[in-house]
Amino acid sequence: GAVVSQHPSWVICKSGTSVKIECRSLDFQATTMFWYRQFPKQSLMLMATSNEGSKATYEQGVEKDKFLINHASLTLSTLTVTSAHPEDSSFYICSASLRDTQYFGPGTRLTVL
Amino acid sequence: QQQVKQSPQSLIVQKGGISIINCAYENTAFDYFPWYQQFPGKGPALLIAIRPDVSEKKEGRFTISFNKSAKQFSLHIMDSQPGDSATYFCAPGVAGTASKLTFGTGTRLQVTL
């Protein structure tokens, strides 16, 4: 139980284009999901908290107009990286909360050329 | 942002040995203390978690020890196996589905034959 999926698992895009990443809780409903970014050999950095039916809460220093988050249902949150640039290349990981535990997706590797 | 520091940064242990990873935090409001295991290219997976009402919790080969006064908790891996080779993160937080976790700096564990 408590499985979280992400799609796609990896994506390569050209600079200036937008990329959408989906995060789904497969066997439970999650009113709250989180989006993280992880650079190689570094820890996870929380980008934003996604709440179903309301606006996301972004961490300090994260551009909300660049990283658009939509949590339209209790099982789906999406992260759209708009006008991506090479410095946005990273490993993006989502998590979904079930009671006190955050269950993480497998991550999405984004490479911007 | 409140810091969460792990030590050591990396650890090499022989098969069958005991791996010990420590986590120190500053925020006295934390009341949920999980450890996550992450393999390369994958999302973190919850290994074991503890609440402050107990000082120790054991699940199989994994044990958490908690020292509230010192604001520290540790992960002990008994009978370490090569399959345990991964990066381990402590991620204390405040219990609740909407609560954020604060990830530690990470410890890379290598278990040798």
Side-chain angles (χ1 to χ4, degrees), chain B residues 30-46:
Chain B
F30 289 155
D31 61 357
Y32 176 65
F33 303 93
W35 284 96
Y36 282 86
Q37 179 189 56
Q38 185 181 31
F39 293 103
K42 305 293 184 182
L46 179 67

Side-chain angles (χ1 to χ4, degrees), chain A residues 31-32 34 36 38 41-44 46 49 59 91 93 97-102 104-106 109, chain B residues 1 32 36 38 41-46 51 89 95-101 103-106 108:
Chain A
T31 55
T32 303
F34 301 88
Y36 296 81
Q38 185 178 34
K41 298 185 179 181
Q42 292 190 21
S43 186
L44 280 73
L46 179 65
T49 302
E59 294 300 301
F91 192 50
I93 312 171
S97 279
L98 177 60
R99 292 184 285 276
D100 295 333
T101 301
Q102 284 190 32
F104 285 81
R109 174 78 58 193
Chain B
Q1 184 178 6
Y32 176 65
Y36 282 86
Q38 185 181 31
K42 305 293 184 182
L46 179 67
R51 292 291 185 90
F89 294 98
T97 56
S99 295
K100 300 183 289 189
L101 299 176
F103 272 77
T105 47
R108 182 168 293 188

Side-chain angles (χ1 to χ4, degrees), chain B residues 50-70:
Chain B
I50 198 170
R51 292 291 185 90
D53 52 340
V54 295
S55 60
E56 188 173 283
K57 180 178 180 180
K58 182 177 181 179
E59 290 184 357
R61 296 186 293 112
F62 304 97
T63 300
I64 288 185
S65 297
F66 177 67
N67 186 330
K68 186 175 181 178
S69 61

Side-chain angles (χ1 to χ4, degrees), chain A residues 59-75:
Chain A
E59 294 300 301
Q60 191 173 10
V62 178
E63 300 175 60
K64 60 182 179 182
D65 294 331
K66 180 171 185 62
F67 299 99
L68 301 179
I69 292 173
N70 183 277
H71 194 157
S73 78
L74 288 173
T75 59

Side-chain angles (χ1 to χ4, degrees), chain A residues 26-40:
Chain A
L26 298 184
D27 50 2
F28 65 101
Q29 294 183 329
T31 55
T32 303
M33 293 184 175
F34 301 88
W35 286 96
Y36 296 81
R37 181 164 57 180
Q38 185 178 34
F39 292 106

